Amino acid sequence: MTEIALEITDLEIRSAEGIVVDRIGLRLQKGRVLGLIGESGAGKSTIGLAALGYVRNGLHITSGHILLDGKDILAAGKGQELRGCKVTYVAQSAAAAFNPAHKLIDQVIEATVWHGVMKKPDARKRAIELFAMLGLPDPDRFGERYPHQASGGQLQRAMTAMALCPKPDLIVFDEPTTALDVTTQIEVLIAIKNAIATTGTAALYISHDLAVVAQVADEMMVLRHGRVVEAGPAAHLLEAPQQDYTKRLLGARQNETEERSSATALLSVKNVFAAYDPSVPVLSDVSLDVEKGRTTAIVGESGSGKSTLARVVSGLLSAAGEIHFEGVQLASRVDDRPKEVLRNIQMISQLPDLALNPNRTVADIIGRPLKFYFGMRGKERRKAVEELLELVELSPTLQTRYPTDLSGGQKQRVCIARALAARPKLMLCDEPTSALDPLVAEGILDLLRRVQAENGTSYLFVTHDLAIVRAIADKVAVMHKGRVVRYGQKADVLSPPFDDYTGKLLASVPQMATGWLDSVVASRQSL
């Protein structure tokens, strides 16, 4: 008889505002993966954290039992005793999970050594093997880096290595591929599937993306408002969903917009070179433009220079070359740019956990550009904040909340509302929908398109998701190792013939068929 790794019965979790998780039950066998699917606020991450014997501040478990290998994880001290060894966690935002003052290798092995699972030399060896398995560069020396010396995708893979290091009985994956480009995403999915198959580890895989979860999950549970909407084998839910909500989740990724005609350039980037370390160039001779009222998307794998280019355009990173905005050359440094330019070029960060001040309320965060650029105060500013929250489909009651009280999707929407508050002509969108479930992401894309249609706003849109590129882009720039290897109208870039790298990116988009990843794993015997 197959052993049960995790059993949850009649779990109810409440906040002061009501029920967050409503009488959830599940059983997860060793060596199996259960995908928890649903939009932001559905209760996915709350259930995942409860499986670690943990709840966020303001939440309380009011009923139910959680058994890990037959042991009550809610018993006094059990959760803390088991976390980091028997049950581990891969968070949605790796950048916020690492201490910037310590090397990655020391943080990856810390819990494994502290719990006595392995001695330090063995843990280091295990970590290096995992770095190689997860496709991190120069695995023997990668761990000697500090967090700021790694890209967002690299940090996410390092956190996956941290969770795999002690060979746990259960891993809770909370949106582990959110920050990864399409090629890296596949490598991580393969590594996860391979680790589960070879070690017998059980896993909860939390995501808003049905197509991604289908690649690794044996079964799926669709959640909404803390309740189970639909549950069953992954293949069945993907091929024949019964509930309208599940069908909407599947259909949300298929939205596509028509090609639009060319327009006058608002932003022009010419022959830009940039580096964080003078001896290691990050951008080499990059040129592209963003037309008025149009969207230029930048795609490429982790470390290709996408986000760095956005930082250069924003003035947060000095660079050689020319950047023209409305025909006028901009100063390289943001401090040297006039206030009106700062207002007209706004950025939406990839990592809302780092972009939002945890000590400021939502009203303060969104209200700051309203005061700084337009002098709004008091009632006028409060009304504008409420309108912006409603615009990004957040309740005005969230004004008094702090970022730590919000879900990942809510935090990202606050970032978008803050950018819109400045009424910019150009928005630098650095993976703005990466933390959102498909339905909310579709709503955000619709919002951005509506703002563009009504106000003529332009977007420089950094993403690894080609479905989003197809949905929102007019032009596409494909980046590889700091260079633009293909650039032009979307129809031209996303149509054959392809250069080798662009073809690799397009071929690596996760397919909807559940058997796809199995065939890839079978062909990757080196893993």
Side-chain angles (χ1 to χ4, degrees):
M1 183 177 179
T2 306
E3 293 183 71
I4 301 298
L6 175 69
E7 183 172 7
I8 297 177
T9 57
D10 202 32
L11 179 65
E12 182 180 270
I13 301 177
R14 288 177 173 267
S15 69
E17 298 173 354
I19 295 176
V20 177
V21 173
D22 192 0
R23 304 286 178 174
I24 295 294
L26 62 88
R27 300 179 82 203
L28 178 58
Q29 298 174 351
K30 291 186 176 181
R32 305 279 287 180
V33 182
L34 172 64
L36 299 180
I37 314 298
E39 61 189 330
S40 180
K44 310 182 301 293
S45 295
T46 301
I47 294 170
L49 291 172
L52 283 83
Y54 178 83
V55 291
R56 295 189 179 100
N57 288 337
L59 299 181
H60 304 280
I61 297 176
T62 51
S63 73
H65 299 280
I66 302 175
L67 303 180
L68 181 65
D69 289 337
K71 298 177 181 177
D72 186 357
I73 201 168
L74 299 181
K78 277 293 181 184
Q80 185 173 356
E81 176 186 323
L82 298 175
R83 285 196 295 271
C85 56
K86 294 296 184 182
V87 57
T88 58
Y89 179 74
V90 178
Q92 183 179 12
S93 176
F98 284 99
N99 188 325
H102 296 281
K103 293 180 179 180
L104 290 172
I105 188 71
D106 295 329
Q107 298 183 68
V108 166
I109 69 172
E110 181 179 13
T112 300
V113 175
W114 188 85
H115 283 282
V117 177
M118 298 178 195
K119 298 293 185 183
K120 189 172 182 178
D122 294 331
R124 288 180 64 90
K125 181 180 178 181
R126 165 79 171 164
I128 291 171
E129 291 172 350
L130 291 168
F131 291 159
M133 180 184 292
L134 293 164
L136 287 163
D138 194 6
D140 288 337
R141 288 187 288 273
F142 175 80
E144 300 305 312
R145 299 185 186 187
Y146 289 88
H148 72 276
Q149 296 173 316
S151 70
Q154 290 170 346
L155 287 178
Q156 196 69 30
R157 283 177 280 169
M159 192 172 187
T160 301
M162 183 192 300
L164 290 168
C165 194
K167 301 179 181 179
D169 295 326
L170 172 69
I171 304 179
V172 178
F173 292 100
D174 193 352
E175 305 276 11
T177 61
T178 289
L180 304 182
D181 60 85
V182 291
T183 53
T184 305
Q185 184 182 74
I186 290 174
E187 297 295 333
V188 173
L189 289 171
I190 290 172
I192 290 171
K193 192 174 182 72
N194 183 64
I196 292 167
T198 57
T199 65
T201 301
L204 285 178
Y205 196 105
I206 298 165
S207 180
H208 56 255
D209 194 326
L210 267 170
V212 169
V213 174
Q215 311 309 320
V216 294
D218 299 293
E219 296 182 63
M220 292 197 289
M221 179 180 288
V222 180
L223 299 163
R224 192 182 190 194
H225 304 315
R227 297 186 177 95
V228 177
V229 173
E230 189 169 357
H236 179 72
L237 260 68
L238 198 63
E239 295 168 7
Q242 300 300 305
Q243 301 299 318
D244 289 342
Y245 179 69
T246 309
K247 294 174 183 177
R248 288 174 58 207
L249 285 177
L250 280 170
R253 291 180 61 90
Q254 300 171 3
N255 189 32
E256 187 109 12
T257 59
E258 297 180 355
E259 292 291 333
R260 291 173 284 183
S261 60
S262 61
T264 306
L266 175 73
L267 175 77
S268 180
V269 176
K270 297 181 179 179
N271 310 118
V272 164
F273 293 78
Y276 296 102
D277 180 339
S279 65
V280 184
V282 179
L283 298 179
S284 299
D285 198 20
V286 172
S287 297
L288 55 81
D289 58 56
V290 181
E291 297 163 344
K292 291 182 180 180
R294 299 292 183 255
T295 300
T296 295
I298 308 174
V299 297
E301 62 189 341
S302 180
S304 62
K306 307 186 302 296
S307 295
T308 299
L309 178 59
R311 288 174 61 82
V312 168
V313 172
S314 70
L316 295 176
L317 178 66
S318 296
E322 296 182 7
I323 300 174
H324 292 262
F325 184 75
E326 295 189 308
V328 177
Q329 185 169 347
L330 297 182
S332 180
R333 296 175 65 252
V334 67
D335 292 343
D336 298 328
R337 296 180 180 180
K339 186 175 182 179
E340 187 63 8
V341 169
L342 299 182
R343 183 186 71 79
N344 274 314
I345 301 178
Q346 293 291 310
M347 191 167 189
I348 304 171
S349 173
Q350 179 185 14
L351 302 169
D353 287 308
L354 301 183
L356 301 177
N357 188 332
N359 297 317
R360 298 291 183 184
T361 65
V362 169
D364 291 335
I365 291 168
I366 298 175
R368 188 172 186 276
L370 295 171
K371 178 181 178 181
F372 183 74
Y373 293 117
F374 306 111
M376 291 188 186
R377 298 177 183 275
K379 185 177 180 180
E380 182 186 19
R381 185 170 66 175
R382 285 194 298 273
K383 182 180 179 182
V385 169
E386 288 181 3
E387 291 174 350
L388 285 162
L389 285 170
E390 291 175 351
L391 190 63
V392 296
E393 299 180 346
L394 288 175
S395 170
T397 60
L398 295 179
Q399 290 186 75
T400 58
R401 299 280 189 89
Y402 291 87
T404 52
D405 299 325
L406 306 179
S407 69
Q410 289 172 328
K411 283 183 277 193
Q412 192 66 296
R413 282 179 279 173
V414 170
C415 288
I416 293 170
R418 178 176 59 184
L420 290 173
R423 302 171 193 168
K425 293 181 179 179
L426 174 67
M427 290 177 63
L428 309 177
C429 305
D430 190 357
E431 304 277 11
T433 60
S434 64
L436 306 179
D437 62 82
L439 295 182
V440 177
E442 184 182 32
I444 291 299
L445 292 177
D446 286 341
L447 165 65
L448 293 175
R449 283 191 289 260
R450 187 168 68 252
V451 169
Q452 191 172 69
E454 294 175 357
N455 302 330
T457 309
S458 301
Y459 303 126
L460 183 65
F461 207 104
V462 175
T463 183
H464 59 260
D465 191 331
L466 288 173
I468 291 176
V469 172
R470 291 188 177 101
I472 201 169
D474 297 289
K475 286 187 174 181
V476 180
V478 179
M479 294 194 67
H480 181 49
K481 296 183 178 179
R483 295 181 178 274
V484 174
V485 297
R486 189 162 184 175
Y487 172 60
Q489 295 295 325
K490 176 174 63 177
D492 297 329
V493 175
L494 300 185
S495 300
F498 302 117
D499 59 273
D500 290 344
Y501 181 72
T502 306
K504 178 184 176 184
L505 282 178
L506 291 168
S508 62
V509 177
Q511 304 297 312
M512 296 298 287
T514 56
W516 169 81
L517 192 60
D518 292 314
S519 64
V520 176
V521 173
S523 67
R524 296 292 299 273
Q525 298 300 322
S526 61
L527 290 178

